[in-house]
């Protein structure tokens, strides 16, 4: 809904609650979309498009993904984020896992995860290695990749590259700075953050829902799972699963979205002080 609201705002339509939709969404859905756009910086406190919002409206993407693309310039990794966004826009069907070759397919996918950064960096390495192979179809077969969807991602990348030029996103590359790339992803997806609890389950920060890393994620195979993660979306099956997951640092949230997160949301940043007198050794009686 966010991209529809952003498009209508860019066309000068401001009274969305009374707009004549063909299939009118519930008011609560519209309000949530407006709140999200405000949190992303696309709207000001009067509900008008900001300069950032006008740039975001140029992209045929979810507003969170548009924000990631524009913010990547700040972190010096717009080339890498452009590739990741293009791969994510294709969906979760880049990798395939034939039942009779499941172990080989899993190992091939984990090879792309070497170097950290979770699923987002794995997608980046996958595309870059495919590009280095000369966009080889045979290479895709050997690495259990869907060549049709990779070609689709390449087409999307070309289109988004042209739109980045249009909105003056400078092309900067920093392929080895995993933190910068993950920060750029979190700058648009700070809504979608979860923390590992003591019982080994992840819980979302704002709503405190229990969520799980999807079995297809490279993070699911990590023997030492990250304490904080950002995810692309939730999938509802037998459990609530996070798809396309990347590790982040808690303190980034206060840097990226200080209007949304406070120190009280992140106990590592604002540890609770003990009451006066507690923690001291008791006086010894003679």
């Amino acid at each position: 809904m966010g991209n529809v609201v952003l498009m209508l705002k860019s066309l000068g339509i401001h009274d969305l609650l009374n707009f004549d939709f063909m299939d009118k969404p519930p008011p609560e859905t519209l309000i949530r979309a407006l709140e999200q756009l405000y949190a992303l910086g696309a709207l000001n406190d009067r509900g008008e498009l900001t300069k950032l919002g006008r740039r975001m409206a140029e992209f045929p993407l979810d507003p969170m993904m548009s924000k990631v693309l524009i913010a990547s310039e700040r972190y010096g990794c717009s080339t890498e984020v452009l590739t990741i966004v293009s791969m994510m826009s294709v969906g979760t069907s880049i990798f395939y896992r034939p039942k009779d070759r499941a172990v080989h397919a899993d190992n091939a996918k984990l090879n792309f995860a070497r170097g950290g950064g979770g699923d987002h960096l794995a997608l980046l390495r996958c595309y870059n290695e495919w590009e280095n192979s000369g966009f080889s179809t045979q290479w895709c077969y050997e690495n259990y990749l869907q060549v049709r969807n990779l070609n689709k991602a390449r087409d999307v990348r070309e289109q988004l590259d042209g739109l980045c030029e249009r909105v003056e996103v400078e092309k900067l590359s920093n392929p080895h700075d995993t933190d910068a790339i993950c920060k750029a992803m979190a700058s648009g997806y700070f809504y979608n953050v979860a923390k590992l609890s003591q019982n080994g389950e992840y819980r979302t920060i704002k709503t405190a829902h229990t969520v799980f890393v999807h079995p297809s994620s490279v993070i699911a195979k990590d023997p030492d799972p990250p304490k904080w993660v950002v995810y692309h979306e939730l999938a509802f099956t037998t459990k609530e699963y996070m798809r396309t997951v990347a590790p982040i640092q808690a303190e980034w949230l206060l840097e990226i979205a200080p209007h949304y997160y406070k120190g009280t949301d992140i106990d590592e940043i604002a540890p609770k002080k003990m009451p006066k007198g507690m923690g001291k050794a008791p006086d010894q009686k003679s």
Side-chain angles (χ1 to χ4, degrees), residues 7-28:
M7 181 187 67
L8 291 173
K9 286 282 185 181
S10 70
L11 294 172
I13 299 166
H14 300 297
D15 187 7
L16 299 179
L17 291 176
N18 294 313
F19 180 73
D20 188 19
F21 288 96
M22 288 185 68
D23 185 11
K24 194 173 182 67
E28 297 80 12

Side-chain angles (χ1 to χ4, degrees), residues 135-190:
F135 301 110
S136 164
T137 299
Q138 182 60 35
W139 182 87
C140 291
Y141 292 147
E142 292 169 358
N143 288 277
Y144 300 91
L145 301 169
Q146 301 274 16
V147 65
R148 182 186 298 177
N149 292 328
L150 278 171
N151 280 318
K152 195 182 296 182
R154 180 168 61 163
D155 292 342
V156 170
R157 194 185 189 285
E158 288 176 3
Q159 294 168 18
L160 293 179
D161 192 21
L163 290 173
C164 283
E165 287 186 11
R166 183 172 169 177
V167 300
E168 300 178 342
V169 174
E170 188 179 355
K171 291 181 182 177
L172 301 168
S173 181
N174 195 358
H176 304 298
D177 192 342
T178 301
D179 282 359
I181 295 169
C182 289
K183 271 188 181 181
M185 300 311 303
S187 68
Y189 285 90
F190 57 81

Side-chain angles (χ1 to χ4, degrees), residues 60-78:
L61 299 169
D62 181 271
M64 292 192 288
M65 207 173 274
S66 301
K67 173 70 180 291
V68 166
L69 264 180
I70 294 168
S72 64
E73 182 182 19
R74 173 186 172 190
Y75 297 105
C77 56
S78 50

Side-chain angles (χ1 to χ4, degrees), residues 30-206:
L30 280 173
I31 291 168
R32 276 199 303 271
L34 289 166
E35 288 174 346
Q36 185 190 70
L37 289 171
Y38 175 72
L40 289 170
L43 300 178
N44 61 22
D45 53 8
R46 296 186 300 277
E48 301 164 343
L49 273 185
T50 61
K51 183 179 178 181
L52 171 62
R54 285 191 291 273
R55 295 175 82 194
M56 287 169 60
E58 293 290 332
F59 294 97
L61 299 169
D62 181 271
M64 292 192 288
M65 207 173 274
S66 301
K67 173 70 180 291
V68 166
L69 264 180
I70 294 168
S72 64
E73 182 182 19
R74 173 186 172 190
Y75 297 105
C77 56
S78 50
T79 299
E80 288 73 32
V81 167
L82 176 60
T83 299
I84 293 169
V85 166
S86 302
M87 293 284 273
M88 289 170 65
S89 69
V90 175
T92 58
S93 52
I94 293 293
F95 303 93
Y96 75 95
R97 190 174 183 262
K99 288 183 179 180
D100 58 334
R101 308 275 295 173
V103 174
H104 298 281
D106 289 345
N107 288 336
K109 186 174 183 178
L110 287 175
N111 284 336
F112 295 119
R114 289 178 180 173
D119 295 312
H120 298 81
L121 270 292
L123 289 171
L124 174 64
R125 295 184 194 102
C126 173
Y127 186 92
N128 288 345
E129 289 185 30
W130 179 51
E131 185 177 30
N132 292 339
S133 76
F135 301 110
S136 164
T137 299
Q138 182 60 35
W139 182 87
C140 291
Y141 292 147
E142 292 169 358
N143 288 277
Y144 300 91
L145 301 169
Q146 301 274 16
V147 65
R148 182 186 298 177
N149 292 328
L150 278 171
N151 280 318
K152 195 182 296 182
R154 180 168 61 163
D155 292 342
V156 170
R157 194 185 189 285
E158 288 176 3
Q159 294 168 18
L160 293 179
D161 192 21
L163 290 173
C164 283
E165 287 186 11
R166 183 172 169 177
V167 300
E168 300 178 342
V169 174
E170 188 179 355
K171 291 181 182 177
L172 301 168
S173 181
N174 195 358
H176 304 298
D177 192 342
T178 301
D179 282 359
I181 295 169
C182 289
K183 271 188 181 181
M185 300 311 303
S187 68
Y189 285 90
F190 57 81
Y191 262 74
N192 299 350
V193 170
K195 179 190 173 186
L196 189 66
S197 57
Q198 292 181 349
N199 64 2
E201 296 178 345
Y202 282 100
R203 291 176 71 83
T204 57
I205 302 304
K206 287 293 186 178

Side-chain angles (χ1 to χ4, degrees), residues 269-286:
I269 306 301
K272 294 179 181 178
K273 294 181 179 179
M274 287 195 297
K276 195 172 181 180
M278 284 190 68
K280 294 181 179 179
D283 293 333
Q284 297 292 328
K285 292 182 180 180
S286 53

